[in-house]
Amino acid sequence: MPYLIPPRTPLTPEQVERGFDYLLALQMGGGAAVAGRAEADPELAFVLLRLAEDIVGPATAVDGEAELSADSFALDEVGCALLSALRDWARDSPTTAVPGIARSIIRFTVNVIPDPDHADTADTLEAMRDEHLVLAHAVHSAPEAHR
């Protein structure tokens, strides 16, 4: 039986920009570069959690077209456990969750989905931002999005 997960509302282009701006500022400038942003933007924990779901989920999910092995299912469970912990953190303490979720996304990007075309993690994050922006614009410019 599949997990019962409620439908997700896609991020807006503005939310995608805010989330990746935070990730890139943290990646390139450290904690001082993002100080105070979590308090100033209460929605940031939600935005970063959504980005984590969009990045971690597909990278760890069991691929039905690939040859399945025990490792496939272990990676899927690790991804589920990570996202579950991040969801709990965001729910229980959004302000402290923001830098933790961001660091988790960055660490995941470095260690699990390095991009051979982008040796620098900031370049990889920028490429992911661009992909997410295209999707967000497509979803939010569709006629049914304005109902």
mmCIF file of all heavy atoms in Angstrom, residues 9 13 26 32 38 46 48 60 71 91 98 103 114 120 137:
data_model
loop_
_atom_site.group_PDB
_atom_site.id
_atom_site.type_symbol
_atom_site.label_atom_id
_atom_site.label_comp_id
_atom_site.label_asym_id
_atom_site.label_seq_id
_atom_site.Cartn_x
_atom_site.Cartn_y
_atom_site.Cartn_z
ATOM 1 N N THR A 9 1.189 21.540 -2.833
ATOM 2 C CA THR A 9 1.023 22.764 -3.594
ATOM 3 C C THR A 9 2.392 23.150 -4.142
ATOM 4 O O THR A 9 3.342 23.277 -3.373
ATOM 5 C CB THR A 9 0.496 23.900 -2.689
ATOM 6 O OG1 THR A 9 -0.714 23.464 -2.098
ATOM 7 C CG2 THR A 9 0.275 25.163 -3.476
ATOM 8 N N PRO A 13 7.223 30.889 -8.247
ATOM 9 C CA PRO A 13 8.562 31.328 -8.656
ATOM 10 C C PRO A 13 9.246 32.181 -7.575
ATOM 11 O O PRO A 13 10.460 32.046 -7.359
ATOM 12 C CB PRO A 13 8.298 32.140 -9.930
ATOM 13 C CG PRO A 13 7.041 31.542 -10.488
ATOM 14 C CD PRO A 13 6.216 31.182 -9.279
ATOM 15 N N LEU A 26 24.173 30.940 1.915
ATOM 16 C CA LEU A 26 24.795 30.096 2.925
ATOM 17 C C LEU A 26 25.998 29.357 2.353
ATOM 18 O O LEU A 26 27.058 29.292 2.981
ATOM 19 C CB LEU A 26 23.779 29.095 3.477
ATOM 20 C CG LEU A 26 24.271 28.161 4.579
ATOM 21 C CD1 LEU A 26 24.684 28.957 5.816
ATOM 22 C CD2 LEU A 26 23.198 27.150 4.929
ATOM 23 N N ALA A 32 27.023 33.867 8.542
ATOM 24 C CA ALA A 32 26.910 35.316 8.670
ATOM 25 C C ALA A 32 26.136 35.919 7.501
ATOM 26 O O ALA A 32 25.449 36.929 7.656
ATOM 27 C CB ALA A 32 28.296 35.949 8.758
ATOM 28 N N ALA A 38 15.851 33.888 8.697
ATOM 29 C CA ALA A 38 14.792 32.969 9.132
ATOM 30 C C ALA A 38 13.754 33.713 9.967
ATOM 31 O O ALA A 38 12.554 33.476 9.832
ATOM 32 C CB ALA A 38 15.383 31.813 9.921
ATOM 33 N N PHE A 46 9.238 26.402 5.468
ATOM 34 C CA PHE A 46 8.360 25.667 4.559
ATOM 35 C C PHE A 46 8.961 25.604 3.147
ATOM 36 O O PHE A 46 8.980 24.554 2.513
ATOM 37 C CB PHE A 46 6.981 26.336 4.506
ATOM 38 C CG PHE A 46 6.142 25.922 3.327
ATOM 39 C CD1 PHE A 46 5.479 24.706 3.318
ATOM 40 C CD2 PHE A 46 6.032 26.752 2.214
ATOM 41 C CE1 PHE A 46 4.714 24.324 2.228
ATOM 42 C CE2 PHE A 46 5.268 26.375 1.117
ATOM 43 C CZ PHE A 46 4.607 25.148 1.131
ATOM 44 N N LEU A 48 12.148 25.894 2.194
ATOM 45 C CA LEU A 48 13.322 25.027 2.147
ATOM 46 C C LEU A 48 12.935 23.556 2.293
ATOM 47 O O LEU A 48 13.541 22.683 1.652
ATOM 48 C CB LEU A 48 14.330 25.433 3.222
ATOM 49 C CG LEU A 48 15.049 26.751 2.936
ATOM 50 C CD1 LEU A 48 15.878 27.181 4.135
ATOM 51 C CD2 LEU A 48 15.917 26.655 1.686
ATOM 52 N N THR A 60 16.476 9.741 -4.263
ATOM 53 C CA THR A 60 16.549 8.543 -3.432
ATOM 54 C C THR A 60 15.420 7.553 -3.692
ATOM 55 O O THR A 60 15.484 6.418 -3.220
ATOM 56 C CB THR A 60 16.537 8.922 -1.932
ATOM 57 O OG1 THR A 60 15.336 9.614 -1.620
ATOM 58 C CG2 THR A 60 17.753 9.767 -1.577
ATOM 59 N N ASP A 71 19.923 -2.368 -2.132
ATOM 60 C CA ASP A 71 20.452 -1.006 -2.030
ATOM 61 C C ASP A 71 19.437 0.026 -2.504
ATOM 62 O O ASP A 71 19.354 1.125 -1.961
ATOM 63 C CB ASP A 71 21.749 -0.862 -2.835
ATOM 64 C CG ASP A 71 22.905 -1.631 -2.225
ATOM 65 O OD1 ASP A 71 22.813 -2.006 -1.034
ATOM 66 O OD2 ASP A 71 23.894 -1.862 -2.944
ATOM 67 N N ARG A 91 8.417 21.700 11.566
ATOM 68 C CA ARG A 91 7.167 21.858 12.310
ATOM 69 C C ARG A 91 7.430 22.327 13.742
ATOM 70 O O ARG A 91 6.756 23.209 14.247
ATOM 71 C CB ARG A 91 6.404 20.538 12.328
ATOM 72 C CG ARG A 91 5.069 20.620 13.065
ATOM 73 C CD ARG A 91 4.465 19.265 13.376
ATOM 74 N NE ARG A 91 5.321 18.556 14.321
ATOM 75 C CZ ARG A 91 5.831 17.337 14.115
ATOM 76 N NH1 ARG A 91 5.566 16.690 13.007
ATOM 77 N NH2 ARG A 91 6.601 16.763 15.010
ATOM 78 N N VAL A 98 15.579 26.325 9.614
ATOM 79 C CA VAL A 98 15.981 26.932 8.339
ATOM 80 C C VAL A 98 17.452 26.660 8.010
ATOM 81 O O VAL A 98 17.749 26.095 6.955
ATOM 82 C CB VAL A 98 15.638 28.441 8.299
ATOM 83 C CG1 VAL A 98 16.309 29.128 7.131
ATOM 84 C CG2 VAL A 98 14.127 28.627 8.232
ATOM 85 N N ARG A 103 21.543 23.460 5.185
ATOM 86 C CA ARG A 103 22.817 22.720 5.213
ATOM 87 C C ARG A 103 22.616 21.275 4.764
ATOM 88 O O ARG A 103 23.490 20.697 4.107
ATOM 89 C CB ARG A 103 23.423 22.779 6.616
ATOM 90 C CG ARG A 103 24.031 24.118 6.926
ATOM 91 C CD ARG A 103 24.788 24.120 8.268
ATOM 92 N NE ARG A 103 25.394 25.419 8.485
ATOM 93 C CZ ARG A 103 24.866 26.376 9.229
ATOM 94 N NH1 ARG A 103 23.710 26.190 9.840
ATOM 95 N NH2 ARG A 103 25.481 27.529 9.369
ATOM 96 N N PRO A 114 26.245 15.144 -7.037
ATOM 97 C CA PRO A 114 27.183 16.084 -7.660
ATOM 98 C C PRO A 114 26.941 16.130 -9.171
ATOM 99 O O PRO A 114 26.588 15.124 -9.778
ATOM 100 C CB PRO A 114 28.556 15.501 -7.332
ATOM 101 C CG PRO A 114 28.306 14.055 -7.075
ATOM 102 C CD PRO A 114 26.899 13.956 -6.530
ATOM 103 N N ASP A 120 31.582 23.183 -9.035
ATOM 104 C CA ASP A 120 31.319 23.988 -7.853
ATOM 105 C C ASP A 120 29.870 23.768 -7.409
ATOM 106 O O ASP A 120 28.946 23.820 -8.211
ATOM 107 C CB ASP A 120 31.562 25.464 -8.195
ATOM 108 C CG ASP A 120 31.344 26.398 -7.024
ATOM 109 O OD1 ASP A 120 31.122 25.921 -5.890
ATOM 110 O OD2 ASP A 120 31.390 27.624 -7.235
ATOM 111 N N HIS A 137 7.227 28.451 -12.940
ATOM 112 C CA HIS A 137 6.567 29.354 -13.897
ATOM 113 C C HIS A 137 5.535 28.590 -14.720
ATOM 114 O O HIS A 137 4.443 29.113 -14.981
ATOM 115 C CB HIS A 137 7.598 30.020 -14.815
ATOM 116 C CG HIS A 137 8.310 31.172 -14.187
ATOM 117 N ND1 HIS A 137 7.686 32.357 -13.865
ATOM 118 C CD2 HIS A 137 9.609 31.311 -13.807
ATOM 119 C CE1 HIS A 137 8.559 33.185 -13.321
ATOM 120 N NE2 HIS A 137 9.731 32.575 -13.264
#
